[in-house]
Amino acid sequence: MLETMLIEHCSPALAGLKTANMFNYKFSSVDILLRELRDVNQKLNGKGVYVDILRTNERHALLYVYRKKRLEKDLLKPGVTELLEKYGYENSELENCLIHLKSRFREYDCFPHEIGLFLDYPLPDVVGFIEHGGKNCKCCGVWKVYSNECETKALFGRFRKCTEVYRKVFARGRTLAQLTVAA
C-alpha cells in the first residue's frame, strides 16, 4: 500500500524532477507504519531518496519524501536561509532544519508557511503565498503561483505526465526501486 501511495503522490521526486513531495498516509498500527518506512527506506536510501514522518495522529502520518543532497542545496539558495531564520531555523544544516520543521508541524494545526521551501517551490511563490495569505495567486497547481506563471504551468504539466507514466509502469510490474532515479 505504501509503495502505491508513493507512486501516486511522489513520482516527480522519485523521478528526480522535484526535490520532495509529501502526502497523508493512513496506517493500521504504528508498528506496521514503522516497518513499512524501514522497508521503503532500505530500497530508496541508496538512491539518495528518504521517507520521513513530519507529523502523526492516531491513524494518519504526514510522510515527507525527499532527495537529501538536493534538499541540502535548496536550503542554501539565496534568500532561503533568511526566510527560514524568520521562522526560528537557527542554521541551514539539513538535520537541524528537519527537526525544527517537525516541531513547527507540532505547534500548528495547519502547515507552516515555509513548507514550500522544503518541497522545491520557488522562493518568490513561497514569499507571495505568505505575503498574500494564500490569495491573489496567478494560478494554482501543485502550489499557488505568484511568479513565472507560464514556466510553472509547463512544470506542472511535466509533473502530471510523470505521475501518469509512473502509475502505468508500476501497474505493469516495475518496482519502486526500479522507478526511483539515483541521485
Side-chain angles (χ1 to χ4, degrees), residues 13 59 84 96 106 111 121 123 131 146 149 181 183:
R59 292 286 181 231
L84 289 175
N96 290 335
R106 284 190 302 272
F111 287 14
Y121 300 176
L123 180 63
E131 289 177 352
Y146 293 87
E149 179 180 8
V181 175

Side-chain angles (χ1 to χ4, degrees), residues 19-151:
T19 300
N21 289 104
M22 68 180 181
F23 65 98
N24 278 307
Y25 182 64
K26 186 175 182 176
F27 58 90
S28 56
S29 78
V30 173
D31 289 339
I32 292 172
L33 171 65
L34 295 177
R35 185 175 340 113
E36 287 179 315
L37 288 176
R38 185 191 67 239
D39 292 346
V40 90
N41 274 308
Q42 284 177 343
K43 294 174 184 176
L44 302 181
N45 289 175
K47 296 189 177 209
V49 177
Y50 295 78
V51 182
D52 200 357
I53 300 170
L54 292 177
R55 163 172 74 194
T56 59
N57 63 24
E58 295 170 2
R59 292 286 181 231
H60 291 89
L62 181 61
L63 298 183
Y64 180 57
V65 179
Y66 64 99
R67 294 183 159 272
K68 189 174 188 175
K69 296 279 186 211
R70 193 162 158 182
L71 181 57
E72 288 172 340
K73 290 178 184 174
D74 288 355
L75 296 177
L76 295 173
K77 287 180 181 175
V80 170
T81 303
E82 294 78 9
L83 182 59
L84 289 175
E85 285 174 356
K86 291 180 182 179
Y87 292 99
Y89 294 81
E90 294 179 7
N91 63 54
S92 56
E93 286 182 30
L94 180 59
E95 294 306 318
N96 290 335
C97 286
L98 290 174
I99 289 168
H100 189 68
L101 179 63
K102 290 175 188 181
S103 74
R104 299 260 304 146
F105 269 101
R106 284 190 302 272
E107 290 175 29
Y108 300 97
D109 290 333
C110 60
F111 287 14
H113 292 311
E114 73 275 11
I115 188 62
L117 301 174
F118 290 85
L119 294 169
D120 199 15
Y121 300 176
L123 180 63
D125 292 339
V126 174
V127 170
F129 182 88
I130 293 168
E131 289 177 352
H132 296 280
K135 295 182 172 109
N136 304 318
C137 61
K138 292 181 178 181
C139 71
C140 188
V142 177
W143 62 83
K144 291 187 176 185
V145 178
Y146 293 87
S147 66
N148 300 324
E149 179 180 8
C150 291
E151 181 182 309

